[in-house]
Amino acid sequence: MPRAPPWKEKQSAYLQRCSDRMLSSGSLNTYRWALDQFYYYAVDNGFPLNPSKVEPNHVREFYFHLVDTGIRTATQQSYMNALLSFLRFCGNGSCADIRMKISVSRTNVNWLSEQEVARLISTAKQPQLRAAPSEQRDAGDLAAEPAEPA
C-alpha cells in the first residue's frame, strides 16, 4: 500500500495533537478545512507537498488567493492562523517566524517576525486616560442652548 504524502501524515498528527489538547470539534473542523484548502491550492500551483519545504512566498500567495475569493477577513485570519500553527508544528524553519497583521487592503499586508512583534509591543504608547467631563456647564454653554418648553 502506498504511503500517504508527508503533508497528510503530518496533518493527521497535528489534528490528533489538537484533539488531545481538547479542542472543540468545530475548531478541529476549521483547522482541517484550512489545511485542506492550502493542500489543494499547493497541488494546483506546484507548491511542495512537504510542510517543511513550504516557503514564505507560498504562504503569501495562498493568502492573496483567499483575499481574491472574497471570503471574510475573519475567515482569512482563521485559515492563516491554522496554517502557520501547523507549519510551526512541522518544524518549518522558513515560515516559523511569520506573524500576520491583517489590514483591509491586499497591498497593505505586513508580515512580521517574532522580533518585530516584540519590538512593536515594547514601544507601544500607553493610552492616556482623561478625566470625565464635568456635569456642570459654564454660563456660556447654557446661553447657547435653546430653552426647553415648559
Side-chain angles (χ1 to χ4, degrees):
M1 175 176 213
R3 195 170 165 198
W7 183 277
K8 291 296 184 179
E9 284 181 357
K10 291 185 179 185
Q11 179 177 332
S12 292
Y14 174 72
L15 293 173
Q16 183 59 50
R17 184 182 132 240
C18 291
S19 177
D20 293 345
R21 291 176 44 216
M22 306 298 284
L23 293 179
S24 71
S25 60
S27 292
L28 291 172
N29 288 336
T30 298
Y31 292 177
R32 182 178 296 105
W33 179 257
L35 296 175
D36 285 345
Q37 292 305 304
F38 183 85
Y39 178 81
Y40 297 131
Y41 188 79
V43 168
D44 291 345
N45 291 280
F47 294 174
L49 299 181
N50 185 334
S52 61
K53 295 185 180 180
V54 171
E55 297 178 7
N57 61 317
H58 299 134
V59 174
R60 285 185 188 97
E61 190 175 323
F62 178 66
Y63 172 73
F64 293 144
H65 164 72
L66 293 176
V67 171
D68 290 341
T69 62
I71 61 174
R72 294 178 321 136
T73 303
T75 305
Q76 296 166 17
Q77 187 172 15
S78 175
Y79 284 10
M80 294 306 296
N81 286 339
L83 175 61
L84 293 172
S85 175
F86 171 68
L87 293 175
R88 283 190 288 278
F89 169 81
C90 293
N92 183 317
S94 64
C95 295
D97 290 337
I98 294 176
R99 296 293 180 269
M100 240 177 86
K101 174 184 165 188
I102 294 187
S103 61
V104 175
S105 170
R106 170 182 171 158
T107 59
N108 290 332
V109 174
N110 296 314
W111 301 81
L112 305 175
S113 69
E114 286 186 27
Q115 294 81 14
E116 290 170 321
V117 170
R119 189 174 64 227
L120 285 172
I121 291 171
S122 69
T123 60
K125 283 186 175 182
Q126 296 300 318
Q128 298 294 322
L129 300 177
R130 291 192 262 166
S134 173
E135 291 185 22
Q136 295 181 348
R137 299 182 183 174
D138 64 20
D141 288 341
L142 292 175
E145 293 181 7
E148 292 184 24

